[in-house]
Structures are given as C-alpha cells and as structure tokens.
Amino acid sequence: MSRESHDHNFKNLILDYPREAIAFFAAAEARAIDGGVRILPIREEQLKERLGERFRELDVPLLAEWPDGRRAALLFVFEEETDPRRFSIHRLAHYCLDLSVLFETERVVPVVIFLHPGAYPEQLRLGSEEQAYLQFHYLHRALFATPARDYLTSGNLVARLTLPSMSYAPEEKFEVIAAATRGLLELEPDPERRLKYADFIDIYAMLSETEQQAYRHRYPQEATAMMRFSERFIEQGRQEGRQEGRQEGRQEGRQEVKKEVALQLVSKQIELKFGNIPDWAQQRLADASQAQLEDWSAAILFADSLEALIGRP
C-alpha cells in the first residue's frame, strides 16, 4: 500500500473519531477535552484557498471549541508518517506557523503518528551558542513501539482499531487482531462504520491464507464476524434476487464469494508491500483462479517484486 493510502486511512480514522483520536494520540492535551467541547474538522477548501501551495491535504486540523468560553479554541494538527525518513520537522513547524497566522491563534498542538520504525527528530532549535530563538517540538505516537497488550481491552475505539499496527510478539498476533475486532463490535454500533473499519483492521492485520485458517480455528467468533463484514463488502452494490433452492447455484455463489475474498486479500497485501497495483496486474488478478490467488497470498511474504510474484505482463 502506498504512503498516500496509509495517510488517507488514518485521516479517515481521525475525522470519524476525532474525540477518541485526541484522547489516544494527544493524551497530554486530552484531559481538558470534556463532553461539552465541540470538535470540528477544518474545511479543506478553506485551507487550500488561504494557504495555496502550502496547503497539505493529508494533514488533519481539528478545532476544539469551548462554548462556555472558559478556554480559547485549541487547534490540533495531526500528521501520519508511514516512513519516518520522509518526516520533516521543518515542514511541520512551517505548516503550524501558517495555521497560527490563518486562525490568529498561538494555541496549536502538532501531533505526529509514526507507523513504521525509523529515526526522526523530536525537536527543532534555531539559534546560536548564546541563545535559542525558536524552539519547536510536537506530540508523537510511535505505533510500532506502542505495546499492544496495554490496549487490548481499551474503551477507546481508535486505540483498539490500531492494535494491529502496534508492537507485539509473533505469538500474540491472533490475540491482538481478535481484540481489535471485539473493540469494533463493542464500541461501534453503526453497521456502515463497522463495515468500513473491519476493512481497516484487515489491511493492517496482513494475514496470509495459512494464518487466516489458524486464526479462524482459534478465534471462530471474531473470524466469523470479519468474514461477514467482508462478504457484505463484496456483495454491496450487487442486485438482489438470487434464486434459492438449487444446490448447484448455492455452491457457485459460495465459490464466487470465496474467490472475491481471496482477491480482496491478495490485492490489499500487494498494495501494502508494493504500492498501487498497475492495470496489467489488476487484470491478471481478476483472471486468476481462487487457488492461484491463495497461492499468491502465501507467496507474497517472500516475493521481491510484483513481477516476481504474479509474472511479468
């Protein structure tokens, strides 16, 4: 999956659950965000119009307002970084200063979410040996170093959904994924949101076909729930009215669903490892059998390139 895809995934997560995102990713500031505080996303059109080329579409500014006036509004700036080597503290500082000028406030809280391991600067100091004239730092959540075991029963849905991206021992992988699924079932009543974030969990769980079988055996309830979400995702938009009562027809329908699930799985795995899928590869995946798709899903762990996995066009 491309960096932009990860950015969009986490942008949607923060926009859908802003209060939970602040509580988890910016815990140092979250104590003042009580139930009476309004949290509003800043419209991208407004930012693009006012900031021009400096506008950063994949950042997520949230404005926290106290209607009773006991505090001035607080502007949270979230940024997700898949590869810490691409992170620029200068760029973040520049963007925060732009927003400070735009909204005429100095109450700005920058928050960075690091998905994968790597080194990154935690503060910026501009000055000389005599004096620091600008000092800048930010809140950060390194998901790759966050112990998943600390959040297995968390009441914060954002924490539960991001469990597969946290740190855990290999033997704990299934337990972590099951805890994320239970969190979605327990904390999100809306069926559309459940469907959307079942897919989110699936993307970051990265289960191979062999692992899926083992997971279904150890956690049948959670696996069944995820399968139902996947089937609904596949069936969305299809016309109703399939004929029932014919065993052959039912069997063909089940096989079609299984192939679609296999196609979705290997496509997500390819995007996570190699980035966007080119047209020729999408066609090759569409033409493949269920067995071939499952073979590719298992082989991707050892493939060095997309061409090596499914063959050259």
Side-chain angles (χ1 to χ4, degrees), residues 24-229:
F24 181 56
F25 295 126
E29 297 284 350
R31 288 186 291 273
I33 310 296
D34 57 32
V37 176
R38 289 196 304 254
I39 303 177
L40 308 170
I42 304 302
R43 292 190 303 110
E44 290 186 355
E45 296 83 358
Q46 179 183 2
L47 292 176
K48 190 171 185 179
E49 178 182 353
R50 298 287 296 278
L51 297 180
E53 293 181 356
R54 305 191 307 280
F55 167 60
R56 301 184 61 202
E57 181 182 359
L58 295 175
D59 288 330
V60 188
L62 299 175
L63 191 64
E65 295 181 333
W66 281 259
D68 58 9
R70 56 197 163 92
R71 287 186 179 223
L74 196 59
L75 183 62
F76 288 86
V77 181
F78 287 89
E79 174 180 327
E80 185 275 330
E81 281 293 345
T82 304
D83 184 353
R85 293 173 300 179
R86 299 174 64 96
F87 171 65
S88 169
I89 192 171
H90 295 80
R91 183 184 61 196
L92 178 62
H94 194 289
Y95 189 60
C96 288
L97 289 171
D98 282 339
L99 292 175
S100 174
V101 173
L102 177 61
F103 290 97
E104 300 179 349
T105 181
E106 295 177 356
R107 289 172 57 79
V108 179
V109 180
V111 185
V112 183
I113 304 159
F114 291 103
L115 194 57
H116 293 157
Y120 48 87
E122 296 186 17
Q123 60 181 352
L124 173 66
R125 178 187 184 277
L126 300 182
S128 66
E129 296 84 357
E130 302 297 328
Q131 182 73 37
Y133 298 100
L134 173 65
Q135 289 186 306
F136 173 80
H137 65 281
Y138 56 94
L139 296 176
H140 57 92
R141 167 71 73 172
L143 279 177
F144 63 86
T146 300
R149 184 153 293 281
D150 292 350
Y151 297 94
L152 292 180
T153 59
S154 171
N156 185 316
L157 183 53
V158 168
R160 295 287 283 273
L161 292 174
T162 54
L163 279 171
S165 298
M166 295 184 194
S167 173
Y168 52 84
E171 63 271 16
E172 297 176 319
K173 183 174 185 177
F174 294 164
E175 181 183 5
V176 166
I177 296 170
T181 303
R182 286 195 298 272
L184 180 60
L185 295 172
E186 295 166 0
L187 302 173
E188 178 51 83
D190 183 84
E192 294 302 320
R193 288 275 184 90
R194 284 184 173 185
L195 174 62
K196 180 178 181 179
Y197 286 99
D199 194 40
F200 183 95
I201 294 171
D202 190 29
I203 288 171
Y204 293 99
M206 297 178 63
L207 290 175
S208 68
E209 179 63 26
T210 302
E211 287 177 322
Q212 284 190 30
Q213 293 176 1
Y215 176 71
R216 285 194 292 266
H217 178 72
R218 286 183 55 183
Y219 294 94
Q221 183 175 349
E222 291 82 357
T224 299
M226 289 294 281
M227 180 61 70
R228 286 173 180 167
F229 289 141

Side-chain angles (χ1 to χ4, degrees), residues 256-272:
E256 181 182 355
V257 168
K258 288 181 179 179
K259 180 180 175 180
E260 288 287 348
V261 171
L263 176 60
Q264 291 289 335
L265 173 64
V266 74
S267 296
K268 289 171 186 173
Q269 289 177 310
I270 289 172
E271 288 179 345
L272 283 169

